[in-house]
Amino acid sequence: MAHTPGTPPDAAASERALTQRVAQAAQRGAWDEAAQLSAVLRRSAPARLEGWFYGGAAALAQSRPGEAAALLARAVELAPRNPDLLTHWGAALSACGDAPGAEAAFARALEANSNHEAALLNWGNLHRAQGRLESAQACYERAAQAAPQSPLGPYNLSITLRDAGCLAAAQEALERALARAPEHRQSLLAWGGMAAARASDEALPPALAELARRDVEAALIVGNLHLARSQWSAAEEALRTALELDPKHPQAHNNLGNALRQSGRLEAARACYAQAVTLEIGYADAWNNLGLLLREMNQPSQALACYEQALKADPQHAEALLNRVFALDLTESESVARLQAARRDWAAIHGDPWMARWPHHANDRNPERPLRIGYLSADLRRHSAAFVFASLFLHHDPEQFTLIAYAGNAQRDEISQRLAACCADWVEAWRLDDDALAQRIQDDRIDILVDLSGHSRGRRLGVLARKPAPVQMSGWGYPGGTGLRAVDWLLADPEWLPAAPRAHYAERIADLPCVLHLSDLEPMPDPAPPPCVLNGHITFGAFHRAVKNTPECYALWARLLRLAPTAHLLFKGPDWESEPLRQQVSDLFAAQRIDPARLDFLGGGDRQSHLRALGRVDILLDAFPQNGGVGVMEALRMGVPVAALRGAVPFSRTSASLLRALGREAWIADDADAYVDIARRLASDIKLLARERHLLRPAFDASPLGDGPAYVRAAQAHYRRAWRVWAHSRPLQG
């Protein structure tokens, strides 16, 4: 630029030198220096454009948008048709919240130069911030056409399309950006993020792999992509690279913990999570992950404390709220009110706000017509939950009920095939987000949506919150209540959930013959004779997940073994493949004066081997406060008596519910002394054990626990009653 008119030559040279220094500082991103030098330039040469422009640019870069807008306004006065100045001014006005002023500035910039890429990009950013996604997309498309070699237009377009849920179009736009500039950092990072979100198996772009060797954010994204693909070793390698680049990066420690936890290196994962929360005490995700790890390490109380820390950092953390529910179910033995309050805490933030957007359901209100039933579950496969609810598929009345399955499980096996054969349609719900799945359920004209997961893994409570069906209920897979007002009914029974605590539930309670039922999905081996006849000693069994074994359980079982000095205790399940866990429990019993040689451990295996292992058990000892479910029913059908302790909350009353339905109330204890006494009396009566080995199976099959057709008739009778209630209710005004 020419020097200011009327300035002496020496002063003009000084101005030019100062202007050059300001420009160089701005190019280096040395904004403090640029701000200081531009202020000097404005004082010495107030008519010189650069002092105002670079001062405004520095203020904008340092998050002082008001100051930036004022300085740039003066620059625009000096050069009213300069598109660069107008674009910077518009960006400053936008940052100040003056959207109309920003719009006007960008429009003036484009009047001066209709192909000005920066003006188009900034205008698109403004529209995106306002939620005007179609307008933003149009701006980015114009920017892409105006600068055909630049990646910025298609890159920003891809982010906008991604936010709008147009994932295929977003990916296509991102590929355009990378075709223009294969090493564009932001496009590479976005590619990795999108690939991780859909667990894509596409080859990693070489430029991203190279970037991940020197850029901590790229290393994190590559690590996350490998985590999404279940490639634990590759994830660990990328995340360790991130930590070499920045040893104090909390997210890198957290994500490395995820990789180590998934590969079974629990103590190493624990150290990573601990480091993450040490570096950032309010890191809610890391606290939540540490809680998940501690739950796997059979420390539910410590896990609960971690979820509380996560919620202290972020009271709306959805996963921590849900995991807290699960942890409380394992540890809380006294208060139904507390368990349901935890569910309502989640629902109040992430569920109930959807009530204002519930759809108007136009389903035919004929109370007696055939109904369309939707079953929503992540366990429509070989899983213990499937053995509880499979009869609902296998024995349904096809003339009165058409079934649609919404499968949250990507895996399909022989059990999935049997369930699918009972359905008019099988929807791969795992491919759909909550909005899309809720819309699909509504489009399928489902009359009654039955949730089979509750708060367990694979839950889709967000779908239920959107109320895609006029009648919604929850039960069987994890029947603890959802806390959602969108769910009309919870399926239980009077023993599992007595009358008094029902007032704490968000749902109305419907009573089944029994809260659980064992489906005849596959044959079971014949019961074996009581093993005590051959062994010469009683063998107690604990065949549930180790996480259910509270210190109180171990103490009571040690007391029982002291009173039955020749008896053994057999632990069975995948958890017991862990040598550290075996040693921990052996040491615990040794401290209670029980010879560890009296403890036996069996690891995992398929279901048939598990059932055969029950032949090594004389009496099953149920856990508390969270009882067994499928394991207890399997033991009973295999002829093994069960000693159970009835508690105050539903999950501590499961076995009482099952034993009452079977007519074996004598095996239900109301306190610790009675529990030990029941187990001792059973152990002392070999004839009774032998007799029950023959009687339990026919009794089981004739009871609600095993009579599939009768049980399903009772469930479907409630479906009909619930439908009549809705059909006769007043329609919501659309």
Side-chain angles (χ1 to χ4, degrees):
M1 279 186 187
H3 70 271
T4 305
T7 305
D10 288 347
S14 178
E15 285 179 19
R16 287 195 299 274
L18 183 56
T19 300
Q20 187 176 17
R21 290 175 61 196
V22 175
Q24 290 171 346
Q27 289 168 3
R28 297 196 311 270
W31 295 114
D32 285 339
E33 182 182 350
Q36 294 168 6
L37 292 173
S38 63
V40 174
L41 183 58
R42 290 195 300 276
R43 287 194 296 271
S44 62
R48 195 162 188 113
L49 175 65
E50 290 88 347
W52 303 100
F53 171 68
Y54 286 118
L60 187 59
Q62 294 177 315
S63 301
R64 301 193 306 276
E67 179 184 344
L71 293 169
L72 290 164
R74 175 61 178 145
V76 168
E77 289 177 7
L78 295 171
R81 289 189 56 78
N82 185 314
D84 290 335
L85 293 180
L86 289 162
T87 298
H88 275 79
W89 186 37
L93 292 170
S94 178
C96 290
D98 182 3
E103 293 254 12
F106 296 141
R108 287 175 60 185
L110 291 169
E111 286 175 8
N113 179 359
S114 61
N115 289 326
H116 195 275
E117 182 190 27
L120 290 164
L121 292 172
N122 277 276
W123 206 352
N125 293 344
L126 177 63
H127 288 167
R128 190 167 77 195
Q130 295 172 324
R132 298 161 61 188
L133 299 185
E134 290 187 6
S135 298
Q137 291 170 32
C139 288
Y140 297 140
E141 284 285 14
R142 282 182 62 189
Q145 294 167 9
Q149 303 303 315
S150 170
L152 297 179
Y155 163 73
N156 281 281
L157 177 61
S158 74
I159 300 304
T160 308
L161 289 166
R162 180 199 66 190
D163 294 345
C166 305
L167 301 185
Q171 185 65 27
E172 187 275 332
L174 198 55
E175 297 294 348
R176 285 165 55 195
L178 287 169
R180 294 180 174 193
E183 297 185 358
H184 182 239
R185 179 178 182 273
Q186 291 304 116
S187 293
L188 288 169
L189 297 180
W191 186 96
M194 289 187 191
R198 64 181 192 278
S200 166
D201 58 359
E202 298 169 76
L204 199 67
L208 179 56
E210 177 59 33
L211 183 64
R213 295 188 178 96
R214 63 180 188 276
D215 183 301
V216 66
E217 189 174 354
L220 276 170
I221 283 178
V222 170
N224 290 344
L225 176 56
H226 288 305
L227 284 172
R229 294 172 171 175
S230 302
Q231 297 169 340
W232 316 128
S233 296
E236 180 183 352
E237 181 180 354
L239 293 164
R240 290 199 184 280
T241 298
L243 286 170
E244 289 173 6
L245 295 166
D246 183 358
K248 294 186 177 181
H249 199 296
Q251 188 181 355
H253 284 285
N254 174 69
N255 294 7
L256 179 57
N258 291 341
L260 295 170
R261 177 164 63 92
Q262 294 292 351
S263 59
R265 294 151 68 186
L266 302 188
E267 286 297 342
R270 184 174 187 168
C272 287
Y273 294 138
Q275 184 66 14
V277 297
T278 298
L279 291 166
E280 186 180 331
I281 189 65
Y283 192 175
D285 284 350
W287 281 115
N288 180 65
N289 288 331
L290 181 56
L292 290 171
L293 174 70
L294 290 169
R295 190 176 79 190
E296 291 179 23
M297 296 177 73
N298 196 31
Q299 299 177 35
S301 297
Q302 294 90 325
L304 180 58
C306 289
Y307 302 141
E308 299 290 2
Q309 285 287 344
L311 293 170
K312 182 179 179 181
D314 178 4
Q316 298 190 7
H317 196 285
E319 285 301 309
L321 284 165
L322 290 170
N323 289 326
R324 176 171 170 258
V325 167
F326 204 81
L328 280 170
D329 287 344
L330 282 169
T331 57
E332 176 58 61
S333 60
E334 300 297 332
S335 174
V336 171
R338 187 180 183 209
L339 296 178
Q340 293 308 308
R343 287 162 164 80
R344 288 196 301 276
D345 287 346
W346 175 85
I349 298 169
H350 300 286
D352 293 344
W354 284 100
M355 292 176 67
R357 287 179 276 177
W358 283 356
H360 169 71
H361 296 294
N363 302 52
D364 179 358
R365 287 177 176 261
N366 180 345
E368 307 306 324
R369 67 172 175 83
L371 299 177
R372 292 173 65 80
I373 309 296
Y375 285 117
L376 176 63
S377 174
D379 301 317
L380 300 173
R381 58 187 174 87
R382 179 169 290 279
H383 186 279
S384 59
F387 284 87
V388 171
F389 58 65
S391 285
L392 300 169
F393 293 74
L394 302 177
H395 300 297
H396 83 286
D397 180 350
E399 294 187 0
Q400 288 296 311
F401 301 96
T402 297
L403 307 188
I404 311 291
Y406 298 95
N409 47 286
Q411 323 90 297
R412 293 189 68 172
D413 55 26
E414 76 285 356
I415 288 179
S416 306
Q417 298 300 329
R418 288 193 62 188
L419 300 180
C422 305
C423 299
D425 199 2
W426 180 280
V427 178
E428 293 187 324
W430 61 275
R431 295 183 181 274
L432 305 175
D433 65 17
D434 286 354
D435 282 328
L437 180 53
Q439 188 62 55
R440 172 63 189 264
I441 292 167
Q442 191 176 351
D443 292 344
D444 286 343
R445 297 178 294 106
I446 295 300
D447 298 310
I448 300 177
L449 180 63
V450 185
D451 160 56
L452 300 172
S453 293
H455 279 266
S456 65
R457 185 175 297 177
R459 56 211 163 205
R460 296 300 297 268
L461 297 173
V463 173
L464 295 169
R466 288 161 170 79
K467 193 71 169 177
V471 178
Q472 299 189 157
M473 55 184 66
S474 182
W476 291 295
Y478 197 75
T482 65
L484 287 167
R485 285 185 277 181
V487 178
D488 306 284
W489 299 91
L490 175 67
L491 299 160
D493 73 48
E495 173 65 47
W496 197 77
L497 183 55
R502 296 186 176 197
H504 296 294
Y505 284 74
E507 305 91 347
R508 297 171 67 180
I509 310 301
D511 286 321
L512 297 168
C514 186
V515 68
L516 300 181
H517 163 82
L518 187 64
S519 304
D520 53 344
L521 266 175
E522 59 187 20
M524 297 173 68
D526 292 333
C532 61
V533 175
L534 295 176
N535 295 337
H537 62 76
I538 291 291
T539 300
F540 296 108
F543 276 39
H544 42 259
R545 289 177 296 135
V547 72
K548 292 186 178 183
N549 294 342
T550 61
E552 292 77 16
C553 286
Y554 289 128
L556 207 58
W557 295 341
R559 176 180 163 192
L560 175 60
L561 291 180
R562 287 196 298 273
L563 294 172
T566 64
H568 283 227
L569 175 54
L570 173 61
F571 294 96
K572 169 78 170 69
D575 299 331
W576 300 106
E577 294 172 6
S578 166
E579 182 56 38
L581 179 60
R582 294 186 185 197
Q583 190 60 53
Q584 174 190 344
V585 171
S586 295
D587 292 345
L588 188 152
F589 275 84
Q592 296 281 332
R593 307 191 309 279
I594 302 299
D595 183 354
R598 297 171 63 193
L599 305 179
D600 300 305
F601 302 95
L602 282 176
D606 61 21
R607 184 169 186 256
Q608 291 300 312
S609 68
H610 175 84
L611 296 172
R612 288 192 297 271
L614 285 165
R616 297 176 56 177
V617 175
D618 294 291
I619 301 154
L620 193 77
L621 301 177
D622 196 22
F624 54 89
Q626 190 175 82
N627 299 162
V630 171
V632 169
M633 289 191 288
E634 289 174 337
L636 292 169
R637 195 165 189 274
M638 290 298 294
V640 180
V642 176
L645 176 58
R646 178 197 280 125
V649 298
F651 285 107
S652 67
R653 302 174 68 92
T654 306
S655 292
S657 166
L658 301 175
L659 291 171
R660 181 173 292 280
L662 187 59
R664 297 299 191 274
E665 293 94 333
W667 299 345
I668 305 170
D670 286 315
D671 57 47
D673 290 341
Y675 179 90
V676 171
D677 187 58
I678 287 169
R680 284 185 65 196
R681 282 191 287 106
L682 286 170
S684 66
D685 193 339
I686 306 302
K687 290 183 179 179
L688 172 67
L689 296 177
R691 187 166 61 252
E692 291 290 7
R693 223 66 176 192
H694 296 290
L695 295 179
L696 275 173
R697 178 165 293 189
F700 188 101
D701 290 346
S703 77
L705 303 183
D707 186 344
Y711 189 87
V712 173
R713 284 195 298 273
Q716 292 182 158
H718 177 67
Y719 293 174
R720 180 59 65 185
R721 287 192 295 272
W723 180 252
R724 289 170 183 151
V725 169
W726 183 81
H728 293 300
S729 67
R730 178 179 298 177
L732 293 174
Q733 297 302 310

